[in-house]
Amino acid sequence: MQKLLLLFIFSLIVHAGFAGNYYFYGGARPAAMSNAVVMSPRLAYMQNQAALGWYDSTAVSIYSMYQPDLPQLSVIAAQGRFPLLGGGMGLQVQRFGYDIYNENKIGLGYGKSLGDHFSAGVQFSYLYTHLNGPYESFHSLVAEAGIQAQFGERWLFGAHIYNPTLSKTGDHGDETPETILRVGAGVLVTDDFLITSEVEKHINQKINFRVGIDYEFSMGLNIQAGFQTEPQSFSAGAGYNFNQFAVQVAVTSNTYLEPGTHFSLQYFF
């Protein structure tokens, strides 16, 4: 009976559009802040292509989200970024789901700083949904773009739009990845303490408000916490930087399921 209930919840999530958007945020440290990071040059590397414009070094990262009571909702992702033509290039691969139903995304993005205070970026992605058995699979191309700005030494601003062209999935007009707009601001209270706030709007959903905090200790340890309203969720996490590695873990609450766990590992060349 419990298994049937979980599968029913999974079908509701898929048909409600939580899947079907191909929009996976990525990164355990952002997840610990409820993903209120669209403005952060350091934390939005998997979520806002403008962040690529600030980097002048190469790095690779892996990320996973595991839902213990419903593994079919798990996500795995990987990204590599490197400097190119005065900016930063990023390659991103993501997968949501399991063998019977899964959503896959391969994206190539580029960001470039426009002076000392502004950066802009864009990404084009190939999306593929696999349905096992007699059902038809879908595919499409989707664009996304973002900007970031730094005012003074403390204030950060960012905006990002996903699927601004309302691209369709294959020949199915009812299988359209949502258009999603995110706008946020943050303040570096100190060099080690960041407070962020963000508003996210899906075309067919209520406005989602997010807040997050991030504090980094001198010994390489960092901690985070966050909250969002749609759906209501709390989050927290911690990480550690050593040598050329950065390890992060996070836990996010869920209204209907057990808390999800997030893990990411970065290596800086």
Side-chain angles (χ1 to χ4, degrees), residues 22-26 46 75-78 92-96 103-106:
Y22 304 86
Y23 193 79
F24 312 126
Y25 298 94
M46 294 185 75
V75 175
I76 56 174
Q92 193 174 111
V93 180
Q94 298 172 332
R95 175 185 169 94
F96 164 89
E103 299 177 1
N104 306 275
K105 176 181 177 181
I106 300 176

Coordinates of all heavy atoms in Angstrom, one line a residue, residues 22-26 46 75-78 92-96 103-106:
Y22 N 12.7 20.2 -16.9 CA 14.1 20.0 -17.1 C 14.9 21.0 -16.4 O 16.0 21.3 -16.7 CB 14.4 20.1 -18.6 CG 13.6 19.1 -19.5 CD1 12.4 19.5 -20.0 CD2 14.2 17.9 -19.8 CE1 11.7 18.6 -20.8 CE2 13.5 17.0 -20.6 CZ 12.2 17.4 -21.1 OH 11.5 16.5 -21.9
Y23 N 14.3 21.6 -15.4 CA 15.0 22.7 -14.7 C 15.5 22.2 -13.3 O 14.7 22.1 -12.3 CB 14.1 23.9 -14.5 CG 14.9 25.1 -14.0 CD1 15.6 25.9 -14.9 CD2 14.9 25.5 -12.7 CE1 16.3 27.0 -14.5 CE2 15.5 26.7 -12.3 CZ 16.3 27.4 -13.2 OH 17.0 28.5 -12.8
F24 N 16.7 21.7 -13.2 CA 17.3 21.2 -12.0 C 18.3 22.2 -11.5 O 19.2 22.6 -12.3 CB 17.9 19.8 -12.2 CG 17.0 18.9 -13.0 CD1 17.4 18.3 -14.1 CD2 15.7 18.7 -12.5 CE1 16.6 17.4 -14.8 CE2 14.9 17.8 -13.2 CZ 15.3 17.2 -14.3
Y25 N 18.3 22.6 -10.3 CA 19.1 23.7 -9.8 C 20.6 23.4 -9.8 O 21.4 24.1 -10.3 CB 18.6 24.2 -8.5 CG 17.1 24.7 -8.6 CD1 16.1 23.9 -8.3 CD2 16.9 26.0 -9.0 CE1 14.8 24.4 -8.4 CE2 15.6 26.5 -9.1 CZ 14.5 25.7 -8.8 OH 13.3 26.1 -9.0
G26 N 20.9 22.3 -9.1 CA 22.3 21.9 -9.1 C 23.2 22.5 -8.0 O 23.1 23.7 -7.8
M46 N 26.1 26.6 -11.5 CA 25.3 25.6 -12.2 C 23.8 26.1 -12.5 O 23.0 25.4 -13.0 CB 25.2 24.3 -11.4 CG 26.5 23.6 -11.3 SD 26.3 21.9 -10.5 CE 25.6 21.0 -11.8
V75 N 18.2 13.0 -8.7 CA 18.9 13.8 -9.7 C 20.4 13.5 -9.6 O 20.9 13.5 -8.5 CB 18.6 15.3 -9.6 CG1 19.3 16.1 -10.6 CG2 17.1 15.5 -9.7
I76 N 21.0 13.4 -10.8 CA 22.5 13.4 -10.8 C 22.9 14.4 -11.9 O 22.2 14.6 -12.9 CB 23.1 12.0 -11.1 CG1 22.5 11.5 -12.4 CG2 22.8 11.1 -10.0 CD1 23.2 10.2 -12.9
A77 N 24.0 15.1 -11.7 CA 24.5 16.1 -12.6 C 26.0 16.3 -12.5 O 26.6 15.9 -11.5 CB 23.8 17.5 -12.3
A78 N 26.5 16.8 -13.6 CA 28.0 17.1 -13.7 C 28.2 18.3 -14.5 O 27.4 18.6 -15.4 CB 28.8 15.9 -14.2
Q92 N 27.3 21.2 -19.1 CA 26.4 20.7 -18.0 C 25.6 19.5 -18.5 O 25.0 19.5 -19.6 CB 25.5 21.8 -17.5 CG 24.8 21.5 -16.2 CD 24.0 22.7 -15.8 OE1 22.8 22.7 -15.8 NE2 24.7 23.8 -15.4
V93 N 25.6 18.4 -17.7 CA 24.8 17.2 -18.0 C 24.0 16.9 -16.8 O 24.5 16.9 -15.6 CB 25.7 16.0 -18.3 CG1 24.9 14.8 -18.6 CG2 26.6 16.4 -19.5
Q94 N 22.7 16.6 -17.0 CA 21.8 16.4 -15.8 C 20.8 15.2 -16.2 O 20.5 15.0 -17.4 CB 21.0 17.6 -15.5 CG 21.8 18.8 -15.0 CD 21.0 20.0 -14.9 OE1 20.0 20.2 -15.5 NE2 21.5 20.9 -14.0
R95 N 20.4 14.5 -15.2 CA 19.5 13.4 -15.4 C 18.5 13.3 -14.1 O 19.0 13.3 -13.0 CB 20.2 12.0 -15.6 CG 19.2 10.8 -15.6 CD 20.0 9.5 -15.7 NE 19.2 8.4 -15.5 CZ 18.7 7.6 -16.5 NH1 18.9 8.0 -17.7 NH2 17.9 6.6 -16.2
F96 N 17.3 13.2 -14.4 CA 16.2 13.1 -13.4 C 15.4 11.8 -13.7 O 15.1 11.6 -14.8 CB 15.3 14.3 -13.4 CG 14.0 14.1 -12.6 CD1 13.9 14.4 -11.3 CD2 12.9 13.7 -13.3 CE1 12.7 14.2 -10.6 CE2 11.7 13.5 -12.6 CZ 11.6 13.8 -11.3
E103 N 14.3 12.2 -17.4 CA 14.5 13.4 -18.1 C 16.0 13.8 -18.2 O 16.7 13.7 -17.1 CB 13.7 14.6 -17.5 CG 12.2 14.4 -17.5 CD 11.5 15.5 -16.7 OE1 12.2 16.4 -16.3 OE2 10.3 15.4 -16.6
N104 N 16.5 14.1 -19.3 CA 17.9 14.3 -19.5 C 18.2 15.7 -20.2 O 17.4 16.1 -21.0 CB 18.5 13.2 -20.4 CG 18.2 11.8 -19.8 OD1 18.9 11.3 -18.9 ND2 17.1 11.2 -20.3
K105 N 19.3 16.3 -19.8 CA 19.6 17.6 -20.3 C 21.1 17.7 -20.5 O 21.9 17.4 -19.6 CB 19.2 18.7 -19.3 CG 19.5 20.1 -19.7 CD 19.1 21.1 -18.6 CE 19.5 22.5 -18.9 NZ 19.0 23.5 -17.8
I106 N 21.5 18.2 -21.7 CA 22.9 18.5 -22.0 C 23.0 19.9 -22.4 O 22.3 20.3 -23.4 CB 23.5 17.6 -23.1 CG1 23.4 16.1 -22.6 CG2 24.9 17.9 -23.4 CD1 23.8 15.1 -23.7

